Amino acid sequence: MPVRAFSIVKLREVLRESPATVPALGALALFVWWASDQAGYPVTRWAPGTLIVLALLTIALLTLPLRLADISLPLRIALLCLGLYTALSYLSILWADVPGDAWEGANRTLLYLLVFALFSLWRWRGAGAAIVLGTWAIAMIALAVFVLLHVDAAAHPAQLFGDGRLKYPAGYENASAATWAMVVWPALLLAACGRLPWALRGLFAGGAVLLADLALLSQSRGSLYATVAMLILVFALLPARLRTFLVLVPIAIGIGATAPTVLRVGDRLSNGGDVKGALHAAIAAVLLAAAVVGLAVASASAFESRRRFSERTASLLRRAVAASAIAVLVALITGGLVAAGNPIARAEHGWQTFKGGYGANRAGGSRLTGGLGSNRYDFYRVALDEFSAHPLVGIGVDNFQQQYLVHGRSGETPHYPHSVELRTLTETGVLGLALALLGLGAALVASSRAWLWAAARRADPLGAWVAMAALSGFAYWLVHGSVDWFWEFAGLGAPAFALLGLSCSLAPARGAASDAATPAGDGHRRATRPLAGRATALRVAAIATAVVVALVACLSLAAPWLSELQVEKAAQIWTTAPRKAYSTLEDAASLNPLSDEPYLVAGTIALRFGDFARADRNFSKALGRTPGDAYAMLERGAIASSAGRRGEALRLLGKAVRLAPRDELAREAQALVREGKRIDLERLNRSILLKAQKFS
């Protein structure tokens, strides 16, 4: 009974000092769900989740005490700039070529703003912040264990991989790697925190090994290079380097010992062999290494917490460990340089493979070391060209694909530029980039104050440590997202902005107003009454405005979500109930008046049933919403050809080729019509389906 009473008292104290703990934990449960289901990428996942975050924030604003004077100036600037960036994202619908995609992208930006506000507006103390961050890290470690066991037990594990790389559960290999790697850094720093119980520190250390190895199963080059960058950032910018290094050593040993076994799984999947045996051996090794490292760190932490050294002994230990750390670092750097060979030649090889595409990578080598070949060089070229053409406000949020179809050179059809920075620059221009940089810069200033202030005043050291741990998770997302399309995965972006907000909230509040006594006569009371009345009026106006904004946000989020649900329903029933499917798609088109997807799906269904007149009407409606849709234009041209309308077919197919110059199917269809032949619609659509499956 006394222990229980003590726990209740402590919990009440934590909730009083960190009042946003409960709504924050609710949001974290949502993030873990997204991580387990396609990293929250589909709008049918993140849109309802955004409504939940909006509800949590609204409830918190109505029930938790919040004074504007307590919000630091950097945080005010961050919230203002990120809010203006969100507004700019919505405004970009007006000039976007694909307004439906711009609307969806703006809603996703709103999600990140809401998450950041929920985690940053209320002040946190170290205990409450540690509960929130630690709960998220433990939940993700538990999810990682489940994923490993699920992959091991799968009857056909190859289906969970793509080209020998684990894509489950995100559906995209690099996003799967980032899902786990983003948690490694908070887990590492929490394991190094001397203020936490020794058992938790061991759990976080073992979890870091498990998370890193699970990320390694995806063989993401971006994750590898982001890890190197994070090591530099952590040891260059954060304090307590020695303590962090001491915990990093056993974790690194655990990862290094299991890495060859983990990478062997991908080799077996790519080259043939006993995949099940290799997978089982790798997962067993990972779990064993995580347990050993966890026990080692827990034991050392328990010894540290119970043994107090004299100042002289502690100084000698610090010097010895520092010397050992320097020796290990020198050995690692030397070994890395020897393994890499001539650094100039290595850099030249990396640049050439980066420019040369997938085929430029070294044949027969490891994917992680064979080169940087991909089509990102071409993505970035088109993105910068589009920025040059639309420098002020960009081309519109999430409107990259159509421009790449016209100007790209590779066979891919990317929806996004594969870089957070280039996405911002290309799609929202200089204005959007300035707002994003000011907002994130101010947030980083607020976050850095959390540990600098604590270090200077020796106040709330646990809070300072948690602030560093949370910021490290956001930093990983930003570094890795600089070379990939992670903004579009809500299961990655939302936790990242939550971690940034949590780190900001641990900074000291603004100086409170002086409580000095003031004259208390009747005249003073009469003078303050008008001020109190104006303050009340302003508060009512602010609440009314917030209610209107919240209602508009709900409508903005609900309409595309419900529309997509209708599209998915139609896709499930069209084979047995085509009329019901058409009606459902009309409802979807009404719910989302900007999207062409319902009409594209309806047109495709009509083609499958041979109803070419209905198909043509739906593709025409799709082009009414998105005039530059190459697929709808191609299908309309093919329908016109099959009906004998050669002139109309040539006109439509000519537009389709201009919209997608590298589309072989469109060029072949145009050539057939020029020769006086008619297009075989069934054959064309079979080829379109095969192409879609190839690049899905």
mmCIF file of all heavy atoms in Angstrom, residues 38-39 41 160-162 165-180 218 220 222 358 367 374 376 379 412 416 418-419 480 483-489 492 696:
data_model
loop_
_atom_site.group_PDB
_atom_site.id
_atom_site.type_symbol
_atom_site.label_atom_id
_atom_site.label_comp_id
_atom_site.label_asym_id
_atom_site.label_seq_id
_atom_site.Cartn_x
_atom_site.Cartn_y
_atom_site.Cartn_z
ATOM 1 N N GLN A 38 2.155 0.260 -43.210
ATOM 2 C CA GLN A 38 2.607 1.036 -44.368
ATOM 3 C C GLN A 38 3.181 2.404 -43.990
ATOM 4 O O GLN A 38 3.150 3.342 -44.794
ATOM 5 C CB GLN A 38 1.473 1.208 -45.379
ATOM 6 C CG GLN A 38 0.892 -0.113 -45.869
ATOM 7 C CD GLN A 38 -0.282 0.097 -46.793
ATOM 8 O OE1 GLN A 38 -0.125 0.505 -47.940
ATOM 9 N NE2 GLN A 38 -1.489 -0.190 -46.294
ATOM 10 N N ALA A 39 3.697 2.499 -42.772
ATOM 11 C CA ALA A 39 4.293 3.744 -42.274
ATOM 12 C C ALA A 39 3.339 4.928 -42.423
ATOM 13 O O ALA A 39 3.764 6.077 -42.575
ATOM 14 C CB ALA A 39 5.616 4.039 -42.987
ATOM 15 N N TYR A 41 1.413 5.775 -44.854
ATOM 16 C CA TYR A 41 1.443 6.456 -46.153
ATOM 17 C C TYR A 41 0.066 6.684 -46.770
ATOM 18 O O TYR A 41 -0.231 7.782 -47.241
ATOM 19 C CB TYR A 41 2.331 5.686 -47.130
ATOM 20 C CG TYR A 41 2.334 6.263 -48.524
ATOM 21 C CD1 TYR A 41 2.961 7.479 -48.790
ATOM 22 C CD2 TYR A 41 1.689 5.613 -49.568
ATOM 23 C CE1 TYR A 41 2.950 8.025 -50.061
ATOM 24 C CE2 TYR A 41 1.676 6.152 -50.848
ATOM 25 C CZ TYR A 41 2.311 7.352 -51.088
ATOM 26 O OH TYR A 41 2.292 7.892 -52.345
ATOM 27 N N LEU A 160 7.863 -10.492 -48.397
ATOM 28 C CA LEU A 160 8.052 -9.332 -47.530
ATOM 29 C C LEU A 160 9.300 -8.543 -47.898
ATOM 30 O O LEU A 160 9.591 -7.517 -47.274
ATOM 31 C CB LEU A 160 8.152 -9.780 -46.068
ATOM 32 C CG LEU A 160 6.986 -10.632 -45.547
ATOM 33 C CD1 LEU A 160 7.256 -11.066 -44.111
ATOM 34 C CD2 LEU A 160 5.682 -9.862 -45.636
ATOM 35 N N PHE A 161 10.023 -9.022 -48.903
ATOM 36 C CA PHE A 161 11.258 -8.381 -49.358
ATOM 37 C C PHE A 161 11.086 -7.920 -50.799
ATOM 38 O O PHE A 161 10.246 -8.438 -51.544
ATOM 39 C CB PHE A 161 12.438 -9.350 -49.272
ATOM 40 C CG PHE A 161 12.878 -9.682 -47.882
ATOM 41 C CD1 PHE A 161 12.146 -10.550 -47.088
ATOM 42 C CD2 PHE A 161 14.039 -9.143 -47.355
ATOM 43 C CE1 PHE A 161 12.549 -10.869 -45.807
ATOM 44 C CE2 PHE A 161 14.459 -9.455 -46.069
ATOM 45 C CZ PHE A 161 13.708 -10.322 -45.289
ATOM 46 N N GLY A 162 11.900 -6.964 -51.190
ATOM 47 C CA GLY A 162 11.974 -6.534 -52.576
ATOM 48 C C GLY A 162 13.420 -6.463 -52.994
ATOM 49 O O GLY A 162 14.202 -5.706 -52.407
ATOM 50 N N ARG A 165 15.661 -6.962 -50.105
ATOM 51 C CA ARG A 165 15.612 -5.927 -49.065
ATOM 52 C C ARG A 165 14.249 -5.957 -48.384
ATOM 53 O O ARG A 165 13.214 -5.970 -49.045
ATOM 54 C CB ARG A 165 15.862 -4.547 -49.679
ATOM 55 C CG ARG A 165 17.146 -4.445 -50.469
ATOM 56 C CD ARG A 165 17.191 -3.157 -51.266
ATOM 57 N NE ARG A 165 17.071 -2.009 -50.379
ATOM 58 C CZ ARG A 165 16.679 -0.801 -50.808
ATOM 59 N NH1 ARG A 165 16.335 -0.606 -52.065
ATOM 60 N NH2 ARG A 165 16.612 0.190 -49.943
ATOM 61 N N LEU A 166 14.257 -5.943 -47.059
ATOM 62 C CA LEU A 166 13.005 -5.996 -46.302
ATOM 63 C C LEU A 166 12.198 -4.717 -46.531
ATOM 64 O O LEU A 166 12.674 -3.612 -46.271
ATOM 65 C CB LEU A 166 13.291 -6.165 -44.810
ATOM 66 C CG LEU A 166 12.061 -6.280 -43.904
ATOM 67 C CD1 LEU A 166 11.285 -7.556 -44.198
ATOM 68 C CD2 LEU A 166 12.478 -6.232 -42.426
ATOM 69 N N LYS A 167 10.968 -4.870 -47.008
ATOM 70 C CA LYS A 167 10.083 -3.728 -47.199
ATOM 71 C C LYS A 167 8.901 -3.728 -46.232
ATOM 72 O O LYS A 167 8.167 -2.750 -46.146
ATOM 73 C CB LYS A 167 9.573 -3.685 -48.627
ATOM 74 C CG LYS A 167 8.753 -4.892 -49.046
ATOM 75 C CD LYS A 167 8.328 -4.774 -50.498
ATOM 76 C CE LYS A 167 7.506 -5.986 -50.943
ATOM 77 N NZ LYS A 167 7.100 -5.883 -52.354
ATOM 78 N N TYR A 168 8.711 -4.813 -45.532
ATOM 79 C CA TYR A 168 7.636 -4.910 -44.541
ATOM 80 C C TYR A 168 8.067 -4.200 -43.251
ATOM 81 O O TYR A 168 9.237 -4.308 -42.848
ATOM 82 C CB TYR A 168 7.356 -6.395 -44.255
ATOM 83 C CG TYR A 168 6.361 -6.653 -43.156
ATOM 84 C CD1 TYR A 168 5.005 -6.581 -43.405
ATOM 85 C CD2 TYR A 168 6.791 -6.966 -41.863
ATOM 86 C CE1 TYR A 168 4.084 -6.824 -42.391
ATOM 87 C CE2 TYR A 168 5.883 -7.205 -40.850
ATOM 88 C CZ TYR A 168 4.528 -7.130 -41.125
ATOM 89 O OH TYR A 168 3.628 -7.359 -40.120
ATOM 90 N N PRO A 169 7.204 -3.451 -42.592
ATOM 91 C CA PRO A 169 5.779 -3.233 -42.862
ATOM 92 C C PRO A 169 5.474 -1.949 -43.629
ATOM 93 O O PRO A 169 4.317 -1.659 -43.894
ATOM 94 C CB PRO A 169 5.192 -3.157 -41.459
ATOM 95 C CG PRO A 169 6.268 -2.513 -40.642
ATOM 96 C CD PRO A 169 7.573 -2.986 -41.234
ATOM 97 N N ALA A 170 6.495 -1.149 -43.988
ATOM 98 C CA ALA A 170 6.232 0.142 -44.622
ATOM 99 C C ALA A 170 5.795 -0.010 -46.075
ATOM 100 O O ALA A 170 5.093 0.840 -46.607
ATOM 101 C CB ALA A 170 7.469 1.033 -44.541
ATOM 102 N N GLY A 171 6.224 -1.098 -46.740
ATOM 103 C CA GLY A 171 5.927 -1.264 -48.149
ATOM 104 C C GLY A 171 6.971 -0.651 -49.048
ATOM 105 O O GLY A 171 6.938 -0.827 -50.267
ATOM 106 N N TYR A 172 7.923 0.089 -48.477
ATOM 107 C CA TYR A 172 9.014 0.730 -49.210
ATOM 108 C C TYR A 172 10.281 0.514 -48.393
ATOM 109 O O TYR A 172 10.321 0.834 -47.203
ATOM 110 C CB TYR A 172 8.709 2.218 -49.411
ATOM 111 C CG TYR A 172 9.846 3.040 -49.969
ATOM 112 C CD1 TYR A 172 10.529 2.649 -51.108
ATOM 113 C CD2 TYR A 172 10.223 4.239 -49.368
ATOM 114 C CE1 TYR A 172 11.559 3.419 -51.627
ATOM 115 C CE2 TYR A 172 11.237 5.026 -49.870
ATOM 116 C CZ TYR A 172 11.908 4.609 -51.003
ATOM 117 O OH TYR A 172 12.932 5.368 -51.510
ATOM 118 N N GLU A 173 11.301 -0.029 -49.040
ATOM 119 C CA GLU A 173 12.483 -0.492 -48.300
ATOM 120 C C GLU A 173 13.143 0.612 -47.482
ATOM 121 O O GLU A 173 13.484 0.407 -46.308
ATOM 122 C CB GLU A 173 13.502 -1.090 -49.284
ATOM 123 C CG GLU A 173 13.040 -2.355 -49.968
ATOM 124 C CD GLU A 173 12.190 -2.117 -51.202
ATOM 125 O OE1 GLU A 173 11.830 -0.943 -51.458
ATOM 126 O OE2 GLU A 173 11.887 -3.095 -51.926
ATOM 127 N N ASN A 174 13.351 1.775 -48.080
ATOM 128 C CA ASN A 174 14.031 2.844 -47.353
ATOM 129 C C ASN A 174 13.188 3.379 -46.203
ATOM 130 O O ASN A 174 13.714 3.755 -45.145
ATOM 131 C CB ASN A 174 14.381 3.980 -48.316
ATOM 132 C CG ASN A 174 15.435 3.576 -49.321
ATOM 133 O OD1 ASN A 174 16.162 2.608 -49.106
ATOM 134 N ND2 ASN A 174 15.523 4.283 -50.423
ATOM 135 N N ALA A 175 11.875 3.419 -46.392
ATOM 136 C CA ALA A 175 10.997 3.851 -45.296
ATOM 137 C C ALA A 175 10.993 2.831 -44.170
ATOM 138 O O ALA A 175 10.931 3.196 -42.984
ATOM 139 C CB ALA A 175 9.574 4.078 -45.815
ATOM 140 N N SER A 176 11.068 1.544 -44.517
ATOM 141 C CA SER A 176 11.152 0.512 -43.477
ATOM 142 C C SER A 176 12.423 0.678 -42.658
ATOM 143 O O SER A 176 12.405 0.576 -41.430
ATOM 144 C CB SER A 176 11.113 -0.879 -44.121
ATOM 145 O OG SER A 176 9.818 -1.177 -44.604
ATOM 146 N N ALA A 177 13.536 0.939 -43.348
ATOM 147 C CA ALA A 177 14.796 1.154 -42.631
ATOM 148 C C ALA A 177 14.704 2.368 -41.710
ATOM 149 O O ALA A 177 15.130 2.325 -40.552
ATOM 150 C CB ALA A 177 15.937 1.324 -43.638
ATOM 151 N N ALA A 178 14.132 3.460 -42.205
ATOM 152 C CA ALA A 178 14.047 4.683 -41.406
ATOM 153 C C ALA A 178 13.102 4.531 -40.219
ATOM 154 O O ALA A 178 13.301 5.163 -39.174
ATOM 155 C CB ALA A 178 13.589 5.844 -42.284
ATOM 156 N N THR A 179 12.073 3.698 -40.357
ATOM 157 C CA THR A 179 11.131 3.475 -39.255
ATOM 158 C C THR A 179 11.864 3.045 -37.996
ATOM 159 O O THR A 179 11.541 3.488 -36.887
ATOM 160 C CB THR A 179 10.105 2.402 -39.651
ATOM 161 O OG1 THR A 179 9.340 2.879 -40.770
ATOM 162 C CG2 THR A 179 9.161 2.086 -38.499
ATOM 163 N N TRP A 180 12.862 2.176 -38.174
ATOM 164 C CA TRP A 180 13.604 1.662 -37.022
ATOM 165 C C TRP A 180 14.827 2.516 -36.700
ATOM 166 O O TRP A 180 15.121 2.752 -35.530
ATOM 167 C CB TRP A 180 14.028 0.217 -37.289
ATOM 168 C CG TRP A 180 12.929 -0.592 -37.881
ATOM 169 C CD1 TRP A 180 12.876 -1.147 -39.125
ATOM 170 C CD2 TRP A 180 11.666 -0.916 -37.264
ATOM 171 N NE1 TRP A 180 11.687 -1.788 -39.328
ATOM 172 C CE2 TRP A 180 10.919 -1.671 -38.205
ATOM 173 C CE3 TRP A 180 11.104 -0.647 -36.023
ATOM 174 C CZ2 TRP A 180 9.646 -2.153 -37.929
ATOM 175 C CZ3 TRP A 180 9.833 -1.117 -35.747
ATOM 176 C CH2 TRP A 180 9.124 -1.861 -36.690
ATOM 177 N N SER A 218 16.905 -3.982 -44.473
ATOM 178 C CA SER A 218 16.391 -3.270 -45.647
ATOM 179 C C SER A 218 17.498 -2.770 -46.563
ATOM 180 O O SER A 218 17.211 -2.277 -47.663
ATOM 181 C CB SER A 218 15.514 -2.084 -45.212
ATOM 182 O OG SER A 218 14.370 -2.538 -44.519
ATOM 183 N N SER A 220 19.455 -0.115 -46.797
ATOM 184 C CA SER A 220 19.245 1.240 -47.304
ATOM 185 C C SER A 220 20.559 2.011 -47.279
ATOM 186 O O SER A 220 21.147 2.212 -46.214
ATOM 187 C CB SER A 220 18.201 1.962 -46.446
ATOM 188 O OG SER A 220 18.175 3.340 -46.730
ATOM 189 N N GLY A 222 20.848 5.155 -47.967
ATOM 190 C CA GLY A 222 20.571 6.413 -47.287
ATOM 191 C C GLY A 222 20.663 6.283 -45.787
ATOM 192 O O GLY A 222 21.172 7.174 -45.101
ATOM 193 N N TYR A 358 21.115 3.353 -61.962
ATOM 194 C CA TYR A 358 21.282 2.051 -61.326
ATOM 195 C C TYR A 358 22.357 1.212 -62.007
ATOM 196 O O TYR A 358 23.085 0.464 -61.356
ATOM 197 C CB TYR A 358 19.958 1.293 -61.332
ATOM 198 C CG TYR A 358 18.935 1.850 -60.380
ATOM 199 C CD1 TYR A 358 17.868 2.615 -60.848
ATOM 200 C CD2 TYR A 358 19.032 1.628 -59.016
ATOM 201 C CE1 TYR A 358 16.925 3.142 -59.983
ATOM 202 C CE2 TYR A 358 18.093 2.140 -58.138
ATOM 203 C CZ TYR A 358 17.045 2.897 -58.631
ATOM 204 O OH TYR A 358 16.117 3.422 -57.765
ATOM 205 N N ARG A 367 25.271 -4.045 -52.137
ATOM 206 C CA ARG A 367 24.447 -2.896 -52.477
ATOM 207 C C ARG A 367 24.857 -1.670 -51.665
ATOM 208 O O ARG A 367 24.784 -0.535 -52.158
ATOM 209 C CB ARG A 367 22.976 -3.212 -52.216
ATOM 210 C CG ARG A 367 22.061 -2.080 -52.643
ATOM 211 C CD ARG A 367 20.622 -2.307 -52.306
ATOM 212 N NE ARG A 367 19.819 -1.256 -52.903
ATOM 213 C CZ ARG A 367 19.682 -0.023 -52.395
ATOM 214 N NH1 ARG A 367 20.281 0.284 -51.258
ATOM 215 N NH2 ARG A 367 18.950 0.886 -53.008
ATOM 216 N N SER A 374 21.336 5.484 -58.736
ATOM 217 C CA SER A 374 19.874 5.480 -58.707
ATOM 218 C C SER A 374 19.457 6.570 -59.687
ATOM 219 O O SER A 374 20.299 7.147 -60.387
ATOM 220 C CB SER A 374 19.335 5.759 -57.301
ATOM 221 O OG SER A 374 19.576 7.104 -56.938
ATOM 222 N N ARG A 376 18.067 9.348 -58.691
ATOM 223 C CA ARG A 376 17.880 10.582 -57.932
ATOM 224 C C ARG A 376 18.553 11.775 -58.593
ATOM 225 O O ARG A 376 18.053 12.906 -58.491
ATOM 226 C CB ARG A 376 18.405 10.403 -56.500
ATOM 227 C CG ARG A 376 17.430 9.657 -55.592
ATOM 228 C CD ARG A 376 18.053 9.404 -54.239
ATOM 229 N NE ARG A 376 17.104 8.823 -53.296
ATOM 230 C CZ ARG A 376 16.702 7.557 -53.308
ATOM 231 N NH1 ARG A 376 17.170 6.738 -54.250
ATOM 232 N NH2 ARG A 376 15.843 7.105 -52.421
ATOM 233 N N PHE A 379 16.038 13.070 -60.791
ATOM 234 C CA PHE A 379 14.946 13.681 -60.021
ATOM 235 C C PHE A 379 15.341 15.090 -59.573
ATOM 236 O O PHE A 379 14.559 16.042 -59.697
ATOM 237 C CB PHE A 379 14.609 12.852 -58.781
ATOM 238 C CG PHE A 379 14.205 11.426 -59.041
ATOM 239 C CD1 PHE A 379 14.155 10.508 -58.010
ATOM 240 C CD2 PHE A 379 13.879 10.985 -60.318
ATOM 241 C CE1 PHE A 379 13.779 9.195 -58.226
ATOM 242 C CE2 PHE A 379 13.502 9.664 -60.552
ATOM 243 C CZ PHE A 379 13.463 8.768 -59.496
ATOM 244 N N GLU A 412 11.463 5.724 -64.515
ATOM 245 C CA GLU A 412 10.619 5.834 -63.325
ATOM 246 C C GLU A 412 9.627 6.987 -63.469
ATOM 247 O O GLU A 412 9.824 7.909 -64.272
ATOM 248 C CB GLU A 412 11.473 6.048 -62.073
ATOM 249 C CG GLU A 412 12.270 4.825 -61.658
ATOM 250 C CD GLU A 412 12.905 4.990 -60.295
ATOM 251 O OE1 GLU A 412 12.164 4.943 -59.292
ATOM 252 O OE2 GLU A 412 14.133 5.164 -60.230
ATOM 253 N N TYR A 416 7.384 12.231 -56.068
ATOM 254 C CA TYR A 416 8.010 13.221 -55.201
ATOM 255 C C TYR A 416 9.497 13.347 -55.554
ATOM 256 O O TYR A 416 10.108 12.408 -56.079
ATOM 257 C CB TYR A 416 7.846 12.814 -53.736
ATOM 258 C CG TYR A 416 6.456 12.322 -53.418
ATOM 259 C CD1 TYR A 416 6.190 10.966 -53.214
ATOM 260 C CD2 TYR A 416 5.381 13.213 -53.342
ATOM 261 C CE1 TYR A 416 4.904 10.512 -52.936
ATOM 262 C CE2 TYR A 416 4.097 12.772 -53.070
ATOM 263 C CZ TYR A 416 3.866 11.413 -52.867
ATOM 264 O OH TYR A 416 2.594 10.969 -52.607
ATOM 265 N N HIS A 418 12.140 13.142 -53.800
ATOM 266 C CA HIS A 418 13.065 12.338 -52.991
ATOM 267 C C HIS A 418 14.048 13.201 -52.204
ATOM 268 O O HIS A 418 15.219 12.864 -52.057
ATOM 269 C CB HIS A 418 13.838 11.350 -53.875
ATOM 270 C CG HIS A 418 13.011 10.179 -54.334
ATOM 271 N ND1 HIS A 418 11.862 10.326 -55.068
ATOM 272 C CD2 HIS A 418 13.177 8.845 -54.165
ATOM 273 C CE1 HIS A 418 11.350 9.140 -55.328
ATOM 274 N NE2 HIS A 418 12.116 8.225 -54.789
ATOM 275 N N SER A 419 13.577 14.307 -51.677
ATOM 276 C CA SER A 419 14.394 15.157 -50.812
ATOM 277 C C SER A 419 13.475 16.167 -50.134
ATOM 278 O O SER A 419 12.689 16.846 -50.818
ATOM 279 C CB SER A 419 15.475 15.897 -51.616
ATOM 280 O OG SER A 419 16.095 16.894 -50.834
ATOM 281 N N HIS A 480 18.250 11.740 -43.213
ATOM 282 C CA HIS A 480 17.898 10.689 -44.174
ATOM 283 C C HIS A 480 16.853 11.199 -45.165
ATOM 284 O O HIS A 480 16.891 10.866 -46.353
ATOM 285 C CB HIS A 480 17.379 9.458 -43.433
ATOM 286 C CG HIS A 480 17.322 8.234 -44.297
ATOM 287 N ND1 HIS A 480 17.041 6.978 -43.797
ATOM 288 C CD2 HIS A 480 17.481 8.056 -45.626
ATOM 289 C CE1 HIS A 480 17.052 6.097 -44.776
ATOM 290 N NE2 HIS A 480 17.309 6.726 -45.902
ATOM 291 N N VAL A 483 17.557 12.827 -48.715
ATOM 292 C CA VAL A 483 17.816 12.065 -49.940
ATOM 293 C C VAL A 483 16.706 11.051 -50.194
ATOM 294 O O VAL A 483 16.917 10.072 -50.920
ATOM 295 C CB VAL A 483 19.194 11.356 -49.870
ATOM 296 C CG1 VAL A 483 20.316 12.374 -49.897
ATOM 297 C CG2 VAL A 483 19.298 10.472 -48.630
ATOM 298 N N ASP A 484 15.528 11.282 -49.609
ATOM 299 C CA ASP A 484 14.430 10.343 -49.836
ATOM 300 C C ASP A 484 13.099 11.050 -49.600
ATOM 301 O O ASP A 484 13.062 12.174 -49.099
ATOM 302 C CB ASP A 484 14.543 9.121 -48.930
ATOM 303 C CG ASP A 484 14.245 7.828 -49.673
ATOM 304 O OD1 ASP A 484 13.266 7.805 -50.444
ATOM 305 O OD2 ASP A 484 14.992 6.851 -49.492
ATOM 306 N N TRP A 485 12.011 10.373 -49.935
ATOM 307 C CA TRP A 485 10.679 11.001 -49.857
ATOM 308 C C TRP A 485 9.964 10.597 -48.571
ATOM 309 O O TRP A 485 8.942 9.946 -48.579
ATOM 310 C CB TRP A 485 9.838 10.662 -51.092
ATOM 311 C CG TRP A 485 9.746 9.227 -51.486
ATOM 312 C CD1 TRP A 485 10.743 8.437 -51.981
ATOM 313 C CD2 TRP A 485 8.581 8.395 -51.459
ATOM 314 N NE1 TRP A 485 10.287 7.174 -52.253
ATOM 315 C CE2 TRP A 485 8.953 7.115 -51.959
ATOM 316 C CE3 TRP A 485 7.258 8.593 -51.081
ATOM 317 C CZ2 TRP A 485 8.060 6.054 -52.059
ATOM 318 C CZ3 TRP A 485 6.364 7.535 -51.199
ATOM 319 C CH2 TRP A 485 6.765 6.294 -51.684
ATOM 320 N N PHE A 486 10.510 11.041 -47.445
ATOM 321 C CA PHE A 486 9.966 10.680 -46.140
ATOM 322 C C PHE A 486 8.891 11.644 -45.654
ATOM 323 O O PHE A 486 8.146 11.330 -44.731
ATOM 324 C CB PHE A 486 11.088 10.601 -45.107
ATOM 325 C CG PHE A 486 11.976 9.403 -45.303
ATOM 326 C CD1 PHE A 486 13.197 9.315 -44.659
ATOM 327 C CD2 PHE A 486 11.603 8.364 -46.140
ATOM 328 C CE1 PHE A 486 14.020 8.213 -44.834
ATOM 329 C CE2 PHE A 486 12.420 7.265 -46.327
ATOM 330 C CZ PHE A 486 13.626 7.186 -45.671
ATOM 331 N N TRP A 487 8.827 12.852 -46.231
ATOM 332 C CA TRP A 487 7.780 13.793 -45.832
ATOM 333 C C TRP A 487 6.409 13.179 -46.063
ATOM 334 O O TRP A 487 5.460 13.433 -45.320
ATOM 335 C CB TRP A 487 7.917 15.085 -46.632
ATOM 336 C CG TRP A 487 6.910 16.136 -46.293
ATOM 337 C CD1 TRP A 487 5.643 16.252 -46.799
ATOM 338 C CD2 TRP A 487 7.070 17.219 -45.367
ATOM 339 N NE1 TRP A 487 4.997 17.346 -46.257
ATOM 340 C CE2 TRP A 487 5.854 17.954 -45.381
ATOM 341 C CE3 TRP A 487 8.119 17.650 -44.551
ATOM 342 C CZ2 TRP A 487 5.667 19.097 -44.595
ATOM 343 C CZ3 TRP A 487 7.928 18.782 -43.774
ATOM 344 C CH2 TRP A 487 6.715 19.492 -43.792
ATOM 345 N N GLU A 488 6.285 12.338 -47.078
ATOM 346 C CA GLU A 488 4.997 11.780 -47.468
ATOM 347 C C GLU A 488 4.572 10.595 -46.612
ATOM 348 O O GLU A 488 3.436 10.126 -46.736
ATOM 349 C CB GLU A 488 5.031 11.372 -48.939
ATOM 350 C CG GLU A 488 5.069 12.534 -49.901
ATOM 351 C CD GLU A 488 6.392 13.292 -49.920
ATOM 352 O OE1 GLU A 488 7.428 12.678 -49.606
ATOM 353 O OE2 GLU A 488 6.399 14.493 -50.251
ATOM 354 N N PHE A 489 5.447 10.091 -45.758
ATOM 355 C CA PHE A 489 5.097 8.997 -44.847
ATOM 356 C C PHE A 489 4.762 9.584 -43.479
ATOM 357 O O PHE A 489 5.653 9.986 -42.724
ATOM 358 C CB PHE A 489 6.258 8.001 -44.725
ATOM 359 C CG PHE A 489 6.415 7.092 -45.905
ATOM 360 C CD1 PHE A 489 7.209 7.460 -46.971
ATOM 361 C CD2 PHE A 489 5.752 5.876 -45.962
ATOM 362 C CE1 PHE A 489 7.356 6.633 -48.074
ATOM 363 C CE2 PHE A 489 5.885 5.037 -47.047
ATOM 364 C CZ PHE A 489 6.688 5.413 -48.115
ATOM 365 N N LEU A 492 6.531 8.461 -40.389
ATOM 366 C CA LEU A 492 7.880 8.967 -40.147
ATOM 367 C C LEU A 492 7.847 10.452 -39.794
ATOM 368 O O LEU A 492 8.486 10.894 -38.842
ATOM 369 C CB LEU A 492 8.759 8.744 -41.386
ATOM 370 C CG LEU A 492 8.999 7.304 -41.811
ATOM 371 C CD1 LEU A 492 9.786 7.256 -43.124
ATOM 372 C CD2 LEU A 492 9.742 6.531 -40.735
ATOM 373 N N SER A 696 5.382 -0.837 -59.508
ATOM 374 C CA SER A 696 4.690 -0.671 -58.230
ATOM 375 C C SER A 696 5.580 -1.115 -57.090
ATOM 376 O O SER A 696 6.531 -1.848 -57.268
ATOM 377 C CB SER A 696 3.408 -1.490 -58.226
ATOM 378 O OG SER A 696 3.686 -2.859 -58.361
#
